[in-house]
Amino acid sequence: MSDFLTIAGMPRQELLRLIAATRKNVPIAEGRSPNRTTLSGRVIANLFFEDSTRTRCSFETAVHRLGGQVFNLTPSGSSISKGESLVDTARNIECMGVAAIVVRCAVSGGAKMVADGVKCPVINAGDGRHEHPTQAILDVSTLMEEFGSVEGRTVAIVGDITNSRVARSVTHALSTLGSHVRLVGPPTLVSKSFERITQGPGTVSTISNLDSALDGVDAVMMLRVQFERAAGGAVSSDYRQMFGLTPQRIAKLAPHVIILHPGPMNRGIEIDDRVADDPQRSRILRQVTHGVAARMAVLEMVLLETTSEKSPVTNSNSPAEHRIGV
Ligand code: NCD
């Protein structure tokens, strides 16, 4: 029994094992193979203090595919709107006998706060600007389906890097697995501190010119500007021209290069319609299927690989907001 809070500090073997489990789950996630019953009799709580479409629905679907039951709690319609805290809410939900809590919140380090406050396992579904570890698993799984291995591959991640929990988690994962990560965007949205994320043989660099950054890449991951995290001020009217993935830009890419986006997309800002919907290159909807498969793998790891005591799978020093660093 353990928490799943971060990719930072996660050993390579552990990461590869989760990704392998994810890939095996894909036929079930597609509805082509029969569901399992490994979570039969268990109830999972989805505590979503921030909006979500893909993450919340894929956790729900993953629980169903594993034969468990799941309920959702969101601020509207619950006592969260009356000011009840994250941890108080989680403690009350735990007393209803849930097997695990999946939490998304706006506070960086919030998933660790919840994990410290309850005895059941906690899965981080995105905490502020900190981490989104299941997103990293699904992203790498999608890349590995394409390329076999990500070792030696170059991935450009483009957009609002500083405010992105997706960028942080996936950079940790890719660098652990030996990829070369180029973080691209306006200097105000690309913190140099990300260059210190070098968990393994991979490399991490920051660059502010998209056209140079795309030279020689194998995959491009586009990110949304996190307007809800006050990033909007850093975006000028020429954002699309400078950092948008347009048909003109993808026309210059090698034929094998694929496009990813965690969603939700802001079409016409970071990505044009013809790129998002490009049947040859876009793997954006494929990521969603891998999302169900990844959440199945994480739920099984957290709930079935039991020890008597709760022990974090990943870095237990998951930082609070003021100590996020990289
Ligand atoms: C991302 C998130 O919430 O961090 N979306 C997701 O989980 N698929 C990215 C975003 O909101 O921009």
Side-chain angles (χ1 to χ4, degrees):
M1 205 196 277
S2 48
D3 301 315
F4 184 68
L5 304 178
T6 66
I7 299 292
M10 192 167 190
R12 177 189 155 84
Q13 283 317 317
E14 190 98 31
L15 202 48
L16 286 173
R17 204 163 58 86
L18 254 187
I19 294 161
T22 299
R23 293 194 58 198
K24 274 202 197 133
N25 289 336
V26 168
I28 305 178
E30 290 171 324
R32 289 193 292 113
S33 286
N35 294 344
R36 285 199 288 274
T37 53
T38 46
L39 297 195
S40 170
R42 304 209 203 197
V43 179
I44 312 299
N46 259 349
L47 260 52
F48 275 63
F49 298 88
E50 253 195 2
D51 292 345
S52 172
T53 298
R54 280 148 290 270
T55 306
R56 197 182 80 191
C57 295
S58 63
F59 266 111
E60 272 190 80
T61 308
V63 174
H64 291 309
R65 295 261 181 231
L66 296 173
Q69 286 167 303
V70 57
F71 67 88
N72 290 294
L73 190 75
T74 55
S76 114
S78 78
S79 291
I80 299 167
S81 67
K82 299 180 189 169
E84 189 163 23
S85 79
L86 202 63
V87 176
D88 279 339
T89 305
R91 280 190 179 139
N92 279 266
I93 295 297
E94 181 181 34
C95 291
M96 298 175 193
V98 300
I101 291 175
V102 178
V103 66
R104 164 168 289 196
C105 57
V107 182
S108 303
K112 172 85 166 96
M113 278 162 50
V114 171
D116 288 345
V118 297
K119 291 185 193 71
C120 70
V122 172
I123 299 172
N124 182 5
D127 60 335
R129 292 175 292 146
H130 178 218
E131 280 230 30
H132 193 349
T134 57
Q135 180 73 39
I137 302 296
L138 79 88
D139 289 338
V140 179
S141 176
T142 307
L143 288 165
M144 283 175 68
E145 179 176 68
E146 197 68 31
F147 300 125
S149 158
V150 291
E151 197 171 347
R153 295 284 178 179
T154 300
V155 180
I157 305 177
V158 187
D160 180 2
I161 305 296
T162 299
N163 292 298
S164 173
R165 53 199 178 202
V166 175
R168 187 172 276 101
S169 288
V170 79
T171 301
H172 275 291
L174 287 172
S175 68
T176 299
L177 299 176
S179 308
H180 305 296
V181 182
R182 295 178 188 164
L183 301 170
V184 193
T188 43
L189 294 180
V190 182
S191 165
K192 280 259 173 206
S193 67
F194 273 73
E195 290 182 355
R196 299 203 305 270
I197 302 178
T198 42
Q199 288 201 158
T203 59
V204 182
S205 55
T206 56
I207 176 165
S208 54
N209 184 300
L210 178 56
D211 294 299
S212 335
L214 293 179
D215 191 31
V217 293
D218 297 295
V220 188
M221 177 185 293
M222 300 307 296
L223 297 176
R224 180 178 70 87
V225 175
Q226 305 278 296
F227 290 100
E228 72 275 35
R229 298 186 220 291
V235 176
S236 58
S237 55
D238 56 1
Y239 187 86
R240 175 180 168 274
Q241 194 198 327
M242 292 181 75
F243 299 105
L245 204 54
T246 58
Q248 294 72 20
R249 283 196 164 108
I250 64 163
K252 294 188 200 138
L253 300 175
H256 73 279
V257 178
I258 60 166
I259 314 294
L260 306 176
H261 194 308
M265 292 186 278
N266 283 163
R267 289 171 180 259
I269 303 181
E270 76 269 12
I271 192 163
D272 278 17
D273 287 341
R274 276 166 57 204
V275 178
D277 303 327
D278 183 313
Q280 260 73 52
R281 296 190 189 274
S282 176
R283 296 295 179 275
I284 295 169
L285 293 175
R286 190 68 184 151
Q287 287 173 272
V288 180
T289 305
H290 280 252
V292 175
R295 280 136 197 160
M296 290 170 67
V298 170
L299 283 161
E300 285 195 335
M301 179 188 73
V302 158
L303 285 165
L304 305 181
E305 297 176 15
T306 50
T307 56
S308 52
E309 289 293 298
K310 174 162 135 174
S311 59
V313 173
T314 55
N315 193 356
S316 62
N317 298 320
S318 181
E321 171 84 87
H322 62 287
R323 290 192 285 119
I324 288 177
V326 290

